Amino acid sequence: MPHAPRGASAARRKTALKKTGRKSVRRKGAAVTIDDVAALAKVSAMTVSRVVNGHSKVRDATRERVMAAVRELGYIPNLAASSLAAAQDARIALIYTNPSAGYLRELLLGALRGSARTAAQLVIDDWDELDVGGERKAARALAKSVAGVILPPPLCESKVVIEELVSAGVPVVAIASGRFNHDISSVRIDDYLASKEVTEHLIRMGHARIAFIKGHPNQTASARRFEGYQAALKDAGIAYDASLVQQGYFTYRSGLEAVEHLLSLRKPPTAIFASNDDMAAAAISVAHRRGLDVPRDLSIVGFDDTSAATTVWPELSTVRQPIASMADSAIDILQRAIRRKDTETKVVVDHVVAHQLIKRDSVAPPVGAGTKPKG
């Protein structure tokens, strides 16, 4: 990208300050100061300081106005002026063990964005090979070196990890847990409603033989998605058929195995609802290998709206779970909890964010359907 002329940013700053009706007292060539940002945003310098340092007691509208001014002026906070204690307080860990590369990518993007925005130190570690004892030992050691922890699935379901961190007084935020745990904060969607909505969409399209691939049994979100699927069938008067349900583990390979079984049934399904995009992408692969047209011969839907949903053909209809935004929000919740520790007031937050059904090209009415789709 071509760079703007050297004097362009200074000109923008001068114009911005004129709009506020206040004069700049900076010498020519001086760096942008916190006072410049305050003048443009029409707030005090103290408010700017609170925003750039991730303080919780700032209105959302004010925060957005300040950050817009920061971006416009190219203001860079002097982080070197922060004390060592403050830097330690902002040390946040993201611990993961997740088989989906697409999910992990979104998670890391959001956490990195949030840490950069709030000047937090982000520590990232993989506990994929740890057993229960190993998780307990790792959590105990982690509690001594960080001020807050983000736990995505399946670690957000680990009783030993949560127990160790909570007992050590370390604030924890679970991302995408199926149910709220009163000991820790969480950022999640309503998996039950999202799954019910997907299944209802398939039913409205004319499908009655709808297969379901479960997520990993070590996550409550998997159970909630299965419950939503069952509820939609019941509400529509469609009998539950256990032969149309297969166990998956959120991996592409588990999706391949589940779909091979489903399409080998004497009466195969006309639609498959997989509990994540990786398994849904596997379903498309198996369908193509068997000479089936998606969606004419078989409709397929996924869950999460990760990169896997748009790197297959046809692109997947799926549930958009805003994973990156959820991780970003988790950073804010932790920053508030970290600053609140000195007040001895513990506040546990259950932040339920909106999901969205994304309709793409992988769903159509079943062949020979006699009714027009209702939606």
Side-chain angles (χ1 to χ4, degrees), residues 50-51 53-57 60 63 92 110-111 113-115 117-120 150 173 185 187 325-340 349 351:
R50 286 173 176 162
V51 170
N53 286 293
H55 200 285
S56 62
K57 294 183 178 180
D60 289 341
R63 188 186 305 277
I92 293 173
R113 185 172 67 206
S115 63
R117 177 173 49 77
T118 63
I150 298 174
V173 176
S185 293
V187 183
S325 295
M326 291 161 72
D328 192 341
S329 296
I331 296 286
D332 283 335
I333 293 172
L334 282 176
Q335 289 280 31
R336 290 195 291 271
I338 291 166
R339 288 178 173 83
R340 197 182 290 117
V349 177
H351 182 34

Side-chain angles (χ1 to χ4, degrees), residues 177-330:
S177 56
R179 289 187 176 88
F180 175 51
N181 182 331
H182 292 277
D183 292 327
I184 61 176
S185 293
S186 64
V187 183
R188 61 192 180 93
I189 65 169
D190 190 323
D191 289 277
Y192 172 87
L193 287 180
S195 179
K196 190 171 185 287
E197 185 177 343
V198 170
T199 310
E200 289 170 343
H201 171 56
L202 291 172
I203 293 170
R204 286 194 300 270
M205 293 296 288
H207 295 277
R209 287 190 63 76
I210 303 170
F212 185 81
I213 304 177
K214 294 181 179 179
H216 201 296
N218 68 355
Q219 298 181 34
T220 55
S222 300
R224 294 295 285 162
R225 292 175 193 180
F226 182 47
E227 290 166 4
Y229 159 78
Q230 291 177 297
L233 294 181
K234 183 177 180 180
D235 288 351
I238 299 174
Y240 170 73
D241 186 345
S243 70
L244 293 176
V245 177
Q246 287 292 301
Q247 181 65 60
Y249 298 91
F250 288 134
T251 62
Y252 186 86
R253 179 168 294 277
S254 70
L256 291 175
E257 295 171 356
V259 177
E260 286 284 6
H261 179 86
L262 290 169
L263 296 184
S264 296
L265 293 173
R266 184 180 62 82
K267 189 177 180 182
T270 61
I272 295 177
F273 175 12
S275 290
N276 80 340
D277 292 335
D278 285 11
M279 296 191 296
I284 288 181
S285 178
V286 173
H288 287 167
R289 188 177 61 77
R290 287 173 168 256
L292 298 176
D293 181 275
V294 178
R296 186 188 63 193
D297 301 321
L298 179 68
S299 288
I300 299 173
V301 293
F303 204 107
D304 289 332
D305 198 27
T306 59
S307 56
T310 53
T311 53
V312 294
W313 180 83
E315 293 186 349
L316 279 168
S317 290
T318 185
V319 170
R320 176 170 293 162
Q321 178 173 212
I323 302 164
S325 295
M326 291 161 72
D328 192 341
S329 296

